[in-house]
Amino acid sequence: MSYTGPDFDPPQQRRPRRGPLTVALAALVPGALLGWMVYEAVGGGGTGGADRTASAAPTAGTSAAPSAPAGTPAASPSASASGSPGDDGKEPGSGPLKGKVVVIDPGHNPGNFRHTAEINRQVDIGTNRKECDTTGTSTNDGYTEAEFTVDVAHRLRTLLEKQGATVKLTRDGDSPAWGPCVDERARIGNTARADAAVSIHADGSAPGDRGFHVILPGSVHAGAADTRAIVGPSHDLGVRIAGNFLRETGEPPSNYVGGGTGLVTRTDLGGLNLSTVPKVFIECGNMRDSKDAALLTSGAWRQKAAQGLSEGIVSFLRQS
């Protein structure tokens, strides 16, 4: 997801590069310390980036990720690096998270750039009206955010289902050719009465901008939006995800938003404004930075990303 606004060009075409965001040193240093405190508070201290789980492809029967556009390098597709999750013999719905419902929202859709009229349609997000959806971003080699997000979502679903959770995706391999709109994505989580909802994204900022950040809902009470009841639990969910994501992936907190904490609060996202269940977004890295792109296109790293997300969600659900 582009942090500064929608991009409606086909993902294989490079967008003009935006200038780097300037962060004052005086703000960055205390912010980095706060980020480390968040990390330690949720059980950090492990070796950053240690591969604690084998890379795994989506489980048998799972819809495959959409095909990459022409020009996508062989290393980019969603096929995993090595190994697959073993069959632990557990019956579906058994495990410590039995009875818990998690909604995973893989950002964007690979067909959005061919349906600009549909995704440009304005929808009510409470505070104002906004585009139904955006195209998302891509690496310079053409690996799209939409492909990345559904691949991580499949891996995350496998991990959570092994814990006994019921997992629903807002879109999958059999989804319509575009969307769903941001208001519908929120409604899916609300209708499911999810105990936790996570929207997965990757950013499209300037080269040199690196790191992940978790977006938390701000307090909104306007129109169809009322987040007041979910602000607190969503913050808890976000902090737990941030700490575990950092530990599992080794990806640092963003160096261009969040002051080094890896946490950002926003009130302009319909997927958060319209949610009535605890929900956060995560920008897993910057697809336009070569170092982050090398991670995001790695199946082994995507498995670590799914593991970090899973551990954050599990930690939240076990105390809720």
Side-chain angles (χ1 to χ4, degrees), residues 11-310:
Q12 60 265 39
Q13 296 177 358
R14 296 190 183 183
R15 298 185 300 171
R17 293 183 175 180
R18 294 187 286 269
L21 300 176
T22 303
V23 181
L25 181 60
L28 182 59
V29 172
L33 292 175
L34 179 56
W36 178 253
M37 291 170 64
V38 168
Y39 170 43
E40 289 294 317
V42 295
T47 302
D51 189 355
R52 294 173 53 187
T53 181
S55 173
T59 55
T62 300
S63 301
S67 299
T72 302
S76 298
S78 58
S80 60
S82 63
S84 60
D87 183 358
D88 57 11
K90 290 183 179 178
E91 292 295 323
S94 64
L97 296 186
K98 182 178 181 179
K100 299 293 187 180
V101 177
V102 179
V103 169
I104 306 172
D105 177 28
H108 311 290
N109 187 310
N112 278 1
F113 72 91
R114 291 187 294 270
H115 295 271
T116 55
E118 290 89 345
I119 66 171
N120 273 324
R121 179 172 63 85
Q122 300 283 299
V123 298
D124 182 13
I125 66 166
T127 53
N128 60 294
R129 297 184 69 82
K130 203 168 182 179
E131 293 85 358
C132 155
D133 201 3
T134 66
T135 62
T137 188
S138 68
T139 67
N140 290 332
D141 289 326
Y143 180 56
T144 66
E145 181 181 1
E147 291 176 87
F148 168 81
T149 61
V150 81
D151 179 84
V152 174
H154 286 162
R155 296 168 187 270
L156 177 56
R157 175 172 62 187
T158 297
L159 293 169
L160 291 172
E161 286 180 342
K162 284 188 173 184
Q163 296 280 336
T166 297
V167 181
K168 300 179 183 296
L169 270 62
T170 60
R171 72 170 180 89
D172 208 340
D174 57 354
S175 297
W178 57 273
C181 295
V182 294
D183 56 341
E184 176 61 18
R185 291 173 186 265
R187 191 154 46 245
I188 291 169
N190 299 344
T191 301
R193 297 184 177 181
D195 296 286
V198 177
S199 189
I200 302 172
H201 289 268
D203 214 351
S205 191
D209 290 348
R210 286 204 62 200
F212 77 91
H213 62 279
V214 177
I215 304 175
L216 314 172
S219 183
V220 173
H221 184 209
D226 187 355
T227 63
R228 291 174 295 178
I230 68 163
V231 166
S234 296
H235 183 274
D236 186 23
L237 173 63
V239 168
R240 291 172 186 271
I241 285 177
N244 284 285
F245 191 85
L246 171 60
R247 185 177 64 238
E248 289 296 326
T249 66
E251 177 77 344
S254 170
N255 65 4
Y256 58 101
V257 291
T261 67
L263 301 173
V264 176
T265 299
R266 292 177 64 173
T267 58
D268 63 327
L269 298 176
L272 294 180
N273 287 359
L274 300 175
S275 182
T276 59
V277 301
K279 184 174 183 180
V280 299
F281 280 43
I282 182 168
E283 299 281 0
C284 296
N286 177 20
M287 295 193 114
R288 294 294 181 168
D289 176 79
S290 60
K291 291 181 180 179
D292 271 5
L295 299 176
L296 297 167
T297 54
S298 161
W301 188 88
R302 292 195 298 273
Q303 186 65 23
K304 294 178 183 180
Q307 186 70 37
L309 289 168
S310 174

